[in-house]
Amino acid sequence: MRVLITGSHGQVGYCLTEQLKECNNITVLALDRDALDITDETVVKRVVNEFQPNIIINAAAHTAVDKAEEEVELSYAINRDGPMYLAQVAQSINAAILHISTDYVFEGNKQGEYAENDATNPQGVYGASKLAGEQAVAKACNKHIILRTAWVFGENGNNFVKTMLRLGATRNELSIVGDQFGGPTYAGDIAKSLILIAKRIFLSDSEFEYGIYHYTGLPHVSWFEFAETIFDVALQSGVISKKTSLTAITTDQYPTAAKRPNNSCLSMEKIGSTFSIEPSNWKLALNNIQAYVG
């Protein structure tokens, strides 16, 4: 199996690259933005046609949610056009594309978990550009898997866990939003799931449905509850000597340029029944919290 990874220096791209190194009989080409700018259609076609992958995993994205409100053109170039170019060339060589998307495609006001076929209604540029990317990929390539995820964290890159530990090192008190809910998702678990799906596609050992799947962690919590757990684990692990005092606030009390979904809880039923993939155990992933310091 030949696998091309884009965005190899991002949270998921890094984990994909590291995990695939340990796999037998897989040839990997892992490229960051400097090596492959997915917004350059000519370069995308050249790289893919030269490497001839069976699987393309697109982990490249413009994920700066608030900046996206100003960087509209850049957001659509990276989140819609780039994935479309990758999907088009994948179709031309009969490869499959695995594309990472987001909970931000939803409005975030549903009661209960979002299923894959629920109506989308993004509330900002980031979500709208990611939804446009989903639609472009689905239209361009028959063999596509779109994996929506949320609240991603990992040892590599910037994320909520690192932010909490950094702020906690210098502040005695922190105010954390307590009325937005979702499933923290470990980047290493996303990578593991994508590799499992890629192998299933390559081996074609059984029929399954191409299309959209959800993958996040359980249990669902608020950002406030997530922060509480981070500091509890950090204290138990000796990463910190004193726990920062946390106060739960509302979304209205913490205004941001882009509107966040209040409900980012995604259903795992479809991916579980199709691929036997379990939700990300984010609490277990935090046991490695020493790696998030510094």
Side-chain angles (χ1 to χ4, degrees):
M1 183 166 72
R2 298 174 67 82
V3 180
L4 170 65
I5 299 168
T6 65
S8 63
H9 285 181
Q11 292 193 92
V12 178
Y14 175 82
C15 292
L16 278 165
T17 304
E18 292 301 303
Q19 290 183 26
L20 282 168
K21 286 178 183 177
E22 307 301 319
C23 296
N24 295 323
N25 302 316
I26 297 179
T27 303
V28 181
L29 180 61
L31 302 175
D32 63 7
R33 186 177 182 180
D34 290 337
L36 175 58
D37 179 355
I38 64 169
T39 68
D40 189 326
E41 183 177 9
T42 302
V43 174
V44 167
K45 287 182 177 179
R46 176 178 57 78
V47 170
V48 173
N49 280 308
E50 286 177 358
F51 183 62
Q52 289 288 308
N54 309 106
I55 308 285
I56 296 172
I57 304 180
N58 180 36
H62 186 273
T63 59
V65 176
D66 290 321
K67 280 187 177 181
E69 294 300 308
E70 298 176 358
E71 299 175 341
V72 179
E73 188 174 329
L74 180 63
S75 297
Y76 276 91
I78 299 173
N79 293 339
R80 177 195 61 195
D81 300 345
M84 178 179 68
Y85 301 148
L86 289 165
Q88 287 172 341
V89 72
Q91 178 76 8
S92 72
I93 62 171
N94 195 33
I97 182 168
L98 279 56
H99 174 66
I100 301 170
S101 193
T102 174
D103 57 299
Y104 276 72
V105 300
F106 295 114
E107 186 172 353
N109 60 358
K110 179 183 177 179
Q111 297 296 313
E113 298 175 344
Y114 276 98
E116 285 80 354
N117 59 357
D118 279 334
T120 54
N121 186 22
Q123 297 296 293
V125 172
Y126 170 65
S129 65
K130 290 296 288 183
L131 178 60
E134 289 186 7
Q135 294 165 342
V137 167
K139 183 179 180 181
C141 184
N142 296 332
K143 294 163 66 174
H144 67 271
I145 296 288
I146 293 163
L147 194 73
R148 291 179 182 148
T149 188
W151 294 25
V152 180
F153 71 95
E155 297 88 348
N156 190 68
N158 297 317
N159 53 67
F160 186 74
V161 178
K162 289 187 176 183
T163 298
M164 287 299 100
L165 293 174
R166 186 180 70 251
L167 293 176
T170 58
R171 300 187 192 178
N172 294 323
E173 299 178 3
L174 289 173
S175 297
I176 310 296
V177 173
D179 60 355
Q180 295 174 17
F181 296 87
T185 314
Y186 177 52
D189 291 337
I190 300 172
K192 182 179 177 182
S193 300
L194 287 167
I195 292 169
L196 189 152
I197 294 170
K199 288 180 177 178
R200 180 87 168 264
I201 292 170
F202 181 70
L203 295 172
S204 300
D205 56 352
S206 60
E207 291 296 319
F208 61 89
E209 179 186 351
Y210 283 103
I212 299 171
Y213 289 85
H214 287 172
Y215 182 76
T216 62
L218 286 178
H220 293 137
V221 290
S222 68
W223 286 113
F224 173 79
E225 292 168 321
F226 188 22
E228 283 250 284
T229 305
I230 291 166
F231 284 115
D232 285 342
V233 173
L235 188 64
Q236 294 164 8
S237 303
V239 170
I240 58 175
S241 57
K242 186 179 72 170
K243 185 178 175 181
T244 302
S245 176
L246 302 179
T247 302
I249 60 172
T250 65
T251 298
D252 290 341
Q253 291 174 289
Y254 188 73
T256 54
K259 186 179 184 298
R260 267 69 172 167
N262 286 100
N263 176 15
S264 292
C265 301
L266 306 181
S267 170
M268 286 281 295
E269 184 176 343
K270 183 180 177 183
I271 199 169
S273 61
T274 304
F275 296 108
S276 298
I277 289 175
E278 297 291 326
S280 175
N281 188 336
W282 61 268
K283 288 188 175 181
L284 180 64
L286 284 179
N287 288 339
N288 189 34
I289 200 161
Q290 291 89 347
Y292 295 80
V293 180

